[in-house]
Amino acid sequence: AVHRVPLKKGKTLRKQLKDHGLLEDFLKKHPYNPASKYNPVLSAS
Amino acid sequence: ASSEPMENYMDTSYYGTISIGTPAQDFTVIFDTGSSNLWVPSVYCTSSACSNHKRFNPSESSTYVGTNETVYIAYGTGSMSGILGYDTVTVSSIAVQNQIFGLSETEPGSFFYYCPFDGILGLAFPSISSSGATPVFDNMMDQDLVPLDLFSVYLSKNGESGSFVLFGGIDSSYTTNGIYWIPLSAETYWQITMDKVTLGEKSVGCYLTCQAIVDTGTSLLAVPQGTYDRIIRDLGVNSDGEISCDDISSLPDITFHIHDHTFSLSGSAYVLEEDGSCSLGIQSLGTPTELGEQWILGDVFIREYYVIFDRSNNKVGLSPLS
């Protein structure tokens, strides 16, 4: 009754964007703020 | 409205497969202990950004039940919006009936095209779930689909296979070094209290205790700005985080003092090597807010410990992998 989901390690979004030459532009338009995930209200303000 | 700031998933690299509907429609998702909602793209999203992804088609599922409730997924300056619906969600061989999830309909930006995953499956607590949506694991518990109200995560260190999420149990072959149980400090994220953090013998932060979130949906170790500045200064790292791969073996351990135990990361754990260059697997989380000093123990930490997320006792179990 125990259920195992295998996880695969793949390319990150950062690597995908970098490979397509889009990382710099993306980071300009979307300033990276890791805190926003946890404090959405504070980040929005 | 649901808010999933997707830029946080830029460095996430562990993905699994779930299916939704009858017959099953498969999706690649991040199993994210740092959020609580489930969402996937839907056929209502017709922009080119969605064209590169699996899209859920409600009309092809005999068990789908729609709603008029909307869901909003924000990422920086862009966003996705959609609706909430109910269907059977199958994770491994567990079929969760009437699971609420978000079906994205619009995607005005373009970067989603390059996202290596289709959606996100949140494994944190219902208290932080947007739109009051019941998280997948809560339904697994309510529907008696798991023998124990816990799940565990193993992330392999370098290989591309071997990682897993185990629902309803603990794999004893990963706990031979013992399990250290830490009580949660909040039932929101998988949040615990740390007593201090040292780099080598020296304290680098968390001087008056602090909070840490164990988050499989964050790749790096995220630390307060002041601590980040002290770490890169003490390690002699450039501000961009680049470090010589030859220096890894001489780097001091980072040690987390939690609930009367110490949990260490060696240099080889917190330095990431890619294409022959090395960088620090640590990022700044900005200045502490009124919520206090916050740390995020992401995949860099989780790769070193088999982690048990115990909902019945509200504890996190850590078992050293080496």
Side-chain angles (χ1 to χ4, degrees):
Chain A
V2 175
H3 306 268
R4 189 181 306 254
V5 180
L7 302 178
K8 64 178 181 184
K9 194 165 187 286
K11 259 188 187 179
T12 64
L13 173 59
R14 183 186 297 275
K15 182 86 169 81
Q16 295 266 56
L17 292 171
K18 194 175 176 183
D19 289 349
H20 290 87
L22 298 168
L23 181 60
E24 201 173 323
D25 184 54
F26 173 80
L27 290 174
K28 271 184 198 162
K29 291 177 182 165
H30 305 267
Y32 186 62
N33 176 13
S36 63
K37 181 177 180 182
Y38 312 98
N39 305 318
V41 176
L42 291 173
S43 328
S45 64
Chain B
S2 173
S3 180
E4 288 280 356
M6 288 184 59
E7 71 266 32
N8 288 297
Y9 297 98
M10 278 193 72
D11 297 297
T12 310
S13 57
Y14 293 93
Y15 310 111
T17 303
I18 63 165
S19 60
I20 304 178
T22 311
Q25 300 175 41
D26 290 346
F27 299 91
T28 299
V29 297
I30 296 171
F31 286 88
D32 180 16
T33 60
S35 68
S36 296
N37 291 81
L38 168 64
W39 69 265
V40 293
S42 78
V43 290
Y44 304 128
C45 178
T46 55
S47 67
S48 61
C50 283
S51 66
N52 206 24
H53 291 272
K54 298 279 182 61
R55 286 176 286 181
F56 180 72
N57 187 346
S59 66
E60 289 183 359
S61 174
S62 61
T63 43
Y64 178 76
V65 177
T67 76
N68 291 322
E69 287 182 77
T70 58
V71 62
Y72 176 76
I73 300 159
Y75 59 93
T77 55
S79 66
M80 282 188 193
S81 60
I83 55 169
L84 291 168
Y86 293 82
D87 208 332
T88 301
V89 171
T90 305
V91 182
S92 182
S93 52
I94 310 173
V96 183
Q97 310 292 326
N98 301 314
Q99 174 63 50
I100 189 169
F101 66 106
L103 298 76
S104 68
E105 293 180 313
T106 61
E107 208 295 316
S110 58
F111 98 98
F112 182 63
Y113 182 90
Y114 297 100
C115 263
F117 53 89
D118 301 312
I120 295 169
L121 190 154
L123 289 167
F125 285 76
S127 60
I128 59 162
S129 179
S130 300
S131 308
T134 304
V136 171
F137 194 70
D138 284 75
N139 274 329
M140 285 187 189
M141 293 189 293
D142 293 346
Q143 295 174 23
D144 290 327
L145 301 174
V146 281
L148 296 172
D149 289 346
L150 56 80
F151 58 93
S152 51
V153 175
Y154 167 74
L155 301 183
S156 66
K157 285 182 185 170
N158 297 314
E160 294 192 350
S161 62
S163 308
F164 62 82
V165 183
L166 193 64
F167 289 96
I170 300 169
D171 187 332
S172 58
S173 61
Y174 291 84
T175 61
T176 51
N177 292 320
I179 304 172
Y180 299 96
W181 291 102
I182 304 160
L184 297 183
S185 52
E187 293 169 34
T188 50
Y189 301 99
W190 287 94
Q191 185 165 319
I192 55 179
T193 299
M194 296 199 295
D195 300 316
K196 68 174 175 177
V197 181
T198 50
L199 179 66
E201 298 298 317
K202 187 178 170 186
S203 289
V204 284
C206 191
Y207 301 114
L208 300 170
T209 76
C210 59
Q211 296 297 300
I213 293 169
V214 185
D215 185 2
T216 57
T218 288
S219 178
L220 307 184
L221 189 67
V223 309
Q225 182 70 51
T227 300
Y228 181 78
D229 293 342
R230 279 188 287 279
I231 289 173
I232 63 168
R233 185 195 61 207
D234 291 356
L235 295 180
V237 179
N238 299 333
S239 57
D240 59 8
E242 285 188 17
I243 191 166
S244 167
C245 297
D246 296 335
D247 293 340
I248 292 176
S249 59
S250 60
L251 294 174
D253 287 359
I254 297 176
T255 302
F256 303 90
H257 301 249
I258 307 169
H259 201 60
D260 297 331
H261 291 287
T262 56
F263 302 92
S264 293
L265 297 181
S266 64
S268 60
Y270 65 78
V271 172
L272 308 176
E273 186 174 357
E274 188 178 31
D275 300 334
S277 62
C278 287
S279 60
L280 206 57
I282 301 173
Q283 65 187 155
S284 168
L285 202 53
T287 51
T289 66
E290 61 253 45
L291 295 176
E293 189 179 319
Q294 193 82 55
W295 292 58
I296 310 298
L297 306 179
D299 297 346
V300 162
F301 180 88
I302 296 168
R303 271 193 290 269
E304 301 300 310
Y305 297 91
Y306 179 54
V307 185
I308 302 150
F309 299 87
D310 185 350
R311 284 289 300 269
S312 57
N313 296 301
N314 285 327
K315 287 182 178 177
V316 168
L318 297 177
S319 183
L321 289 167
S322 56

